[in-house]
Amino acid sequence: MKFSNTLRGYQRQWLPADITAGLIVTILLIPQSIAYALLAGLPPVAGLYASLLPLAVYAFLGTSPTLAIGPVAIVSLMTLDALLPFAAAGTAEFAAHATVLAGLTGIWLLVFFAVGLGSWTSFMSHSVISGFTSAAAIVIIINQLKYFTGIDIPHGGGSWFPIAYTLEHWHEAVPMALMMSVASILVLIFWQGYVPKIMSRWKMSAIILPFVTKSGPLIIVVVGILLTQVADLPISTVGDIPAGLPSLQIPAFSDVDWRSLIAPAFVIALIAYLENISIAGAMAMQQSHRISPNQELLALGVANLSAAISQAYPISGSFGRSMVNMSAGARSQVAGLVTLISVIFVCLFASHLFVTLPHAVLAAINTIAVWSLIRWQDGWRAWRFQYSDGLIWLLTFMGVLIWGAETGIVIGIGISLILYLRRTSKPHVVEIGRLGDSERLRSIERHQVETSPELLIVRIDENLYFANSQYLENYIYDRISPKSSVKHVIIVGSAINYIDFCGFESLERILEQLRGQGIQLHFAEFKGPVMDQLGKTNLLTQLQPGQIFMTASDALRTLGHL
């Protein structure tokens, strides 16, 4: 455990850029935090609370100088899915469950930290993550229908329920809500796509320019608030947001069914961490900055615990706000502290300004924020490269859409493991021979090589373990018939990094079977750690007079062939 390396050795000349970036991120964070809280089924103030203590925690424990921590869309959706079976969205009981969920998420992350899960960043394939986020983004957009149309769509009922309910109750739609949400989306698209190009033609201060190009959400928020106040529009608004800071208290675990939240918290912790580390890693590549994966677990875990004690809900790193933070010139987590101070100011003195903020505007912000997460091209490219990866993407995607976020991610992981076991259960095992007069040995199927009828040289390009050990046995037995002239079998283990007990037993059986036929077994190119494993058994003694060679070429020379 160590304090953030983005605050140690801080240079004074970084301060103006950090202040600017922190204020720009605040412009995005305030409306997003309110929108994401509503997406999670919580009151708007929960989103603001989730943007307080977690920012301070990450500033001192995180290892990314520009990662923006706080409420995010995917985790908000997962929070809603996890808590709907226990309480009605928007109730005090639901909020109590949310704080417990944040606490359990933080505990899981600290467990991951304790066992060093940070080094297992490839635990889930890119196809699983991409399929999950793409489907979750669609579900989030579908969940905005109640705000786009003004129809009071109940929570629950599955991912497609809002569409079915809207079609059935279309006559209840509020035209003004639809017009405002569409107009807000168009403004955001215009602001993101064209305002930066227009502003680049003007001579504008480097400090002012980022505020202008990133202020699209602020513009529609201000306009939406003014329209509802001046015109008294018949659309739903955020309503009262309590002023002040949250009181710190330990979540009431005894008042909720916290045991049933352990599994959802595990999935949220895993997704939050993978989202967090992928964002931090992507920015680190551009900044030549090193990220400590395990330290990130610690920072994110403590940040979620801080969210739990401040009446908030699970949080993670935000891709959109992080990119804005970096592009605005942030040099350290001082920018995050500036954002924290700004949010504190809003909670204390300006929360009343958002009372008439239309839900339609927040729905537009949510929609644009997650639209870029829908990555059809990832699934198509994965399918073209290797159909199994494309299948993983598709099944994860469909699982989230049909059965929800948690079930979808479990399906993705499960299919990945099944396909991995299927693939490694039939490893690439090949007979090899000498390539011309050289010392190189290559596959007899791909190259014209020299072989000897008295030698069978087999190379296995996979670890030897329970799922594939029988396959190696069968491969060797199939190539040695009763009339075979083979006198020596050489197993080349250059690609074997690990042998489990089943693999060891297979080597014993191969040795016994070959010896019964008067054939001698030899090993070549086995790595040191593998030999250390085998050295704990009597296999190497039983192998004699068979030998262990440094290279397959040494075996050929010693055995006097070719």
Coordinates of all heavy atoms in Angstrom, one line a residue, residues 1-8 53-65 67 69 110 113 276 289-306 333-334 337:
M1 N 0.8 -1.2 0.0 CA 0.0 0.0 0.0 C 0.9 1.2 0.0 O 1.9 1.3 0.7 CB -0.9 0.0 1.2 CG -1.7 1.3 1.4 SD -2.8 1.2 2.9 CE -3.3 2.9 3.0
K2 N 0.5 2.2 -0.9 CA 1.3 3.4 -0.9 C 0.3 4.6 -1.3 O -0.7 4.3 -1.9 CB 2.5 3.4 -1.8 CG 2.0 3.0 -3.3 CD 3.2 2.9 -4.2 CE 2.8 2.5 -5.6 NZ 4.0 2.4 -6.5
F3 N 0.7 5.8 -1.0 CA -0.1 6.9 -1.4 C 0.2 7.2 -2.9 O 1.2 6.8 -3.5 CB 0.2 8.2 -0.5 CG -0.3 8.1 0.8 CD1 0.5 8.1 1.9 CD2 -1.7 7.9 1.0 CE1 0.0 7.9 3.2 CE2 -2.2 7.8 2.3 CZ -1.4 7.8 3.4
S4 N -0.7 7.9 -3.5 CA -0.7 8.1 -4.9 C 0.6 8.8 -5.4 O 1.1 9.8 -4.8 CB -1.9 9.1 -5.3 OG -1.7 9.4 -6.7
N5 N 1.2 8.1 -6.4 CA 2.4 8.7 -7.0 C 2.1 9.9 -7.9 O 3.0 10.5 -8.5 CB 3.2 7.6 -7.7 CG 2.4 7.0 -8.8 OD1 1.2 7.3 -9.0 ND2 3.0 6.0 -9.5
T6 N 0.8 10.2 -8.0 CA 0.5 11.4 -8.8 C 0.5 12.7 -8.0 O 0.4 13.8 -8.5 CB -0.9 11.3 -9.5 OG1 -1.9 11.4 -8.6 CG2 -1.0 9.9 -10.2
L7 N 0.5 12.5 -6.7 CA 0.5 13.7 -5.7 C 1.9 13.9 -5.2 O 2.3 15.0 -4.9 CB -0.5 13.5 -4.6 CG -1.9 13.4 -5.0 CD1 -2.8 13.3 -3.8 CD2 -2.3 14.7 -5.8
R8 N 2.7 12.8 -5.0 CA 4.1 12.9 -4.5 C 4.9 13.6 -5.6 O 4.8 13.2 -6.8 CB 4.6 11.6 -4.1 CG 4.0 11.0 -2.8 CD 4.6 9.7 -2.4 NE 4.3 8.6 -3.3 CZ 5.1 7.9 -4.0 NH1 6.4 8.2 -3.9 NH2 4.7 6.9 -4.8
L53 N -16.5 11.6 -1.5 CA -15.4 10.9 -0.8 C -14.6 10.0 -1.8 O -13.4 9.9 -1.7 CB -16.0 10.0 0.4 CG -16.1 10.7 1.7 CD1 -16.5 9.7 2.8 CD2 -14.7 11.3 2.1
P54 N -15.3 9.2 -2.7 CA -14.5 8.4 -3.6 C -13.4 9.1 -4.4 O -12.3 8.6 -4.6 CB -15.5 7.8 -4.5 CG -16.8 7.8 -3.7 CD -16.7 9.0 -2.9
L55 N -13.7 10.4 -4.8 CA -12.7 11.2 -5.5 C -11.5 11.5 -4.6 O -10.3 11.4 -5.1 CB -13.3 12.5 -5.9 CG -14.0 12.5 -7.3 CD1 -15.4 11.7 -7.2 CD2 -14.3 13.9 -7.7
A56 N -11.7 11.8 -3.3 CA -10.6 12.0 -2.4 C -9.8 10.8 -2.2 O -8.6 10.8 -2.1 CB -11.2 12.6 -1.1
V57 N -10.5 9.6 -2.0 CA -9.8 8.4 -1.7 C -8.9 8.0 -2.9 O -7.7 7.7 -2.7 CB -10.8 7.2 -1.5 CG1 -10.1 5.9 -1.5 CG2 -11.5 7.4 -0.1
Y58 N -9.4 8.1 -4.1 CA -8.6 7.7 -5.3 C -7.5 8.7 -5.5 O -6.4 8.3 -5.9 CB -9.5 7.7 -6.6 CG -8.7 7.1 -7.7 CD1 -8.6 5.7 -7.9 CD2 -8.0 7.9 -8.6 CE1 -7.8 5.2 -8.9 CE2 -7.2 7.4 -9.6 CZ -7.2 6.0 -9.7 OH -6.4 5.5 -10.7
A59 N -7.7 10.0 -5.2 CA -6.6 10.9 -5.4 C -5.4 10.6 -4.5 O -4.2 10.8 -5.0 CB -7.1 12.3 -5.0
F60 N -5.6 9.9 -3.4 CA -4.5 9.6 -2.5 C -4.0 8.1 -2.7 O -2.9 7.8 -2.3 CB -4.8 9.8 -1.0 CG -4.9 11.3 -0.7 CD1 -6.1 11.9 -0.6 CD2 -3.8 12.0 -0.5 CE1 -6.2 13.3 -0.3 CE2 -3.8 13.4 -0.2 CZ -5.1 14.0 -0.1
L61 N -4.8 7.3 -3.2 CA -4.4 5.9 -3.4 C -4.2 5.4 -4.8 O -3.6 4.4 -5.0 CB -5.4 5.0 -2.7 CG -5.5 5.1 -1.1 CD1 -6.6 4.1 -0.6 CD2 -4.2 4.8 -0.5
G62 N -4.8 6.1 -5.8 CA -4.8 5.6 -7.1 C -3.5 5.9 -7.8 O -2.6 6.6 -7.3
T63 N -3.3 5.2 -8.9 CA -2.0 5.3 -9.6 C -2.1 6.0 -11.0 O -1.1 6.1 -11.7 CB -1.3 3.9 -9.8 OG1 -2.2 3.1 -10.6 CG2 -1.1 3.3 -8.5
S64 N -3.3 6.3 -11.4 CA -3.5 7.0 -12.7 C -3.7 8.5 -12.4 O -4.5 8.9 -11.6 CB -4.7 6.5 -13.4 OG -5.0 7.3 -14.5
P65 N -2.9 9.4 -13.1 CA -3.0 10.8 -12.8 C -4.3 11.4 -13.4 O -4.7 12.5 -12.9 CB -1.8 11.4 -13.5 CG -1.4 10.4 -14.5 CD -1.8 9.1 -14.0
L67 N -7.4 9.5 -14.2 CA -8.6 8.7 -14.1 C -9.6 9.5 -13.3 O -9.3 10.0 -12.2 CB -8.3 7.4 -13.5 CG -9.5 6.4 -13.4 CD1 -9.9 5.9 -14.8 CD2 -9.2 5.3 -12.5
I69 N -12.9 9.2 -11.2 CA -13.7 8.2 -10.5 C -15.0 8.8 -10.1 O -15.2 10.0 -10.1 CB -12.9 7.8 -9.2 CG1 -13.2 6.4 -8.8 CG2 -13.2 8.8 -8.1 CD1 -12.4 5.4 -9.5
L110 N -11.2 -5.4 -2.1 CA -10.1 -5.6 -1.1 C -9.6 -7.0 -1.0 O -8.5 -7.3 -0.8 CB -10.5 -5.0 0.2 CG -10.7 -3.5 0.3 CD1 -11.0 -3.1 1.7 CD2 -9.5 -2.8 -0.2
F113 N -7.6 -7.6 -3.9 CA -6.2 -6.9 -3.7 C -5.4 -7.9 -2.8 O -4.2 -8.1 -3.1 CB -6.4 -5.6 -3.0 CG -5.2 -5.0 -2.4 CD1 -4.2 -4.5 -3.1 CD2 -5.0 -5.0 -1.0 CE1 -3.0 -4.0 -2.6 CE2 -3.9 -4.5 -0.4 CZ -2.9 -4.0 -1.2
N276 N -12.2 0.0 -14.7 CA -11.3 0.9 -14.2 C -9.9 0.7 -14.7 O -9.2 1.7 -15.2 CB -11.2 0.7 -12.6 CG -10.6 1.9 -11.9 OD1 -11.2 2.9 -11.6 ND2 -9.3 1.7 -11.6
H289 N 2.9 6.6 -18.6 CA 2.8 6.5 -17.1 C 2.5 5.1 -16.8 O 1.7 4.4 -17.4 CB 1.7 7.5 -16.7 CG 1.6 7.6 -15.2 ND1 2.3 8.5 -14.4 CD2 0.8 6.9 -14.3 CE1 2.0 8.3 -13.2 NE2 1.1 7.3 -13.1
R290 N 3.1 4.6 -15.7 CA 2.9 3.2 -15.2 C 1.7 3.1 -14.3 O 1.6 4.0 -13.4 CB 4.2 2.7 -14.6 CG 5.3 2.5 -15.5 CD 6.5 1.9 -14.9 NE 6.2 0.5 -14.4 CZ 7.0 -0.2 -13.7 NH1 8.1 0.2 -13.3 NH2 6.6 -1.4 -13.3
I291 N 0.9 2.1 -14.5 CA -0.2 1.8 -13.6 C 0.1 0.6 -12.8 O 0.6 -0.4 -13.4 CB -1.5 1.6 -14.5 CG1 -1.9 2.9 -15.3 CG2 -2.7 1.2 -13.6 CD1 -2.2 4.1 -14.4
S292 N -0.2 0.6 -11.5 CA -0.1 -0.6 -10.7 C -1.4 -1.3 -10.6 O -2.3 -0.8 -9.8 CB 0.5 -0.2 -9.3 OG 0.4 -1.3 -8.5
P293 N -1.7 -2.4 -11.3 CA -3.0 -3.0 -11.2 C -3.5 -3.4 -9.8 O -4.7 -3.2 -9.5 CB -2.8 -4.3 -12.1 CG -1.7 -3.9 -13.0 CD -0.8 -3.1 -12.2
N294 N -2.6 -3.9 -9.0 CA -3.0 -4.3 -7.6 C -3.3 -3.1 -6.8 O -4.2 -3.1 -6.0 CB -2.0 -5.2 -7.0 CG -2.6 -6.3 -6.2 OD1 -3.5 -7.0 -6.8 ND2 -2.2 -6.6 -5.0
Q295 N -2.5 -2.0 -6.9 CA -2.8 -0.8 -6.2 C -4.1 -0.2 -6.6 O -4.8 0.4 -5.8 CB -1.7 0.2 -6.4 CG -1.8 1.6 -5.7 CD -1.6 1.5 -4.2 OE1 -1.0 0.5 -3.7 NE2 -1.9 2.6 -3.5
E296 N -4.5 -0.4 -7.9 CA -5.8 0.1 -8.4 C -6.9 -0.6 -7.7 O -8.0 0.0 -7.4 CB -5.9 -0.1 -9.9 CG -5.1 0.9 -10.7 CD -5.6 2.4 -10.5 OE1 -6.7 2.6 -10.8 OE2 -4.8 3.2 -10.0
L297 N -6.7 -1.9 -7.4 CA -7.7 -2.6 -6.6 C -7.9 -2.0 -5.2 O -9.0 -1.9 -4.8 CB -7.3 -4.1 -6.5 CG -7.6 -5.0 -7.7 CD1 -6.9 -6.4 -7.5 CD2 -9.1 -5.2 -7.8
L298 N -6.8 -1.7 -4.6 CA -6.9 -1.1 -3.3 C -7.6 0.2 -3.3 O -8.5 0.5 -2.5 CB -5.5 -0.9 -2.7 CG -5.4 -0.2 -1.4 CD1 -6.0 -1.0 -0.3 CD2 -3.9 0.1 -1.0
A299 N -7.2 1.1 -4.3 CA -7.8 2.4 -4.4 C -9.3 2.3 -4.7 O -10.1 3.0 -4.0 CB -7.1 3.2 -5.5
L300 N -9.7 1.4 -5.6 CA -11.1 1.3 -5.9 C -11.9 0.6 -4.8 O -13.1 1.0 -4.6 CB -11.2 0.4 -7.2 CG -12.6 0.4 -7.9 CD1 -13.0 1.8 -8.3 CD2 -12.6 -0.5 -9.1
G301 N -11.3 -0.3 -4.1 CA -12.0 -0.9 -3.0 C -12.3 0.0 -1.9 O -13.4 0.1 -1.4
V302 N -11.3 0.8 -1.5 CA -11.5 1.8 -0.4 C -12.4 2.9 -0.9 O -13.3 3.4 -0.1 CB -10.1 2.4 0.0 CG1 -10.3 3.5 1.1 CG2 -9.2 1.3 0.5
A303 N -12.4 3.3 -2.2 CA -13.3 4.3 -2.7 C -14.7 3.8 -2.6 O -15.6 4.6 -2.3 CB -12.9 4.6 -4.2
N304 N -15.0 2.5 -2.9 CA -16.4 2.0 -2.8 C -16.8 1.9 -1.3 O -18.0 2.1 -1.0 CB -16.5 0.6 -3.4 CG -16.8 0.7 -4.9 OD1 -17.9 0.8 -5.3 ND2 -15.8 0.6 -5.7
L305 N -15.9 1.6 -0.4 CA -16.2 1.6 1.0 C -16.6 3.0 1.4 O -17.5 3.2 2.2 CB -15.0 1.1 1.8 CG -14.8 -0.4 1.7 CD1 -13.6 -0.8 2.6 CD2 -16.0 -1.2 2.2
S306 N -15.9 4.0 0.9 CA -16.2 5.4 1.3 C -17.5 5.8 0.7 O -18.3 6.6 1.3 CB -15.1 6.4 0.7 OG -15.1 6.5 -0.7
Q333 N -3.8 13.9 -9.8 CA -5.1 13.8 -9.2 C -5.5 15.1 -8.4 O -6.6 15.1 -7.8 CB -5.1 12.6 -8.2 CG -5.3 11.3 -9.0 CD -6.6 11.2 -9.7 OE1 -7.6 11.8 -9.2 NE2 -6.7 10.5 -10.8
V334 N -4.7 16.1 -8.5 CA -5.1 17.4 -8.0 C -6.4 17.9 -8.8 O -7.2 18.5 -8.2 CB -4.0 18.5 -8.1 CG1 -4.5 19.9 -7.8 CG2 -2.9 18.1 -7.1
L337 N -9.2 16.5 -7.1 CA -9.5 17.2 -5.8 C -10.3 18.5 -6.1 O -11.1 19.0 -5.4 CB -8.2 17.5 -5.0 CG -7.5 16.2 -4.5 CD1 -6.2 16.6 -3.8 CD2 -8.4 15.4 -3.6

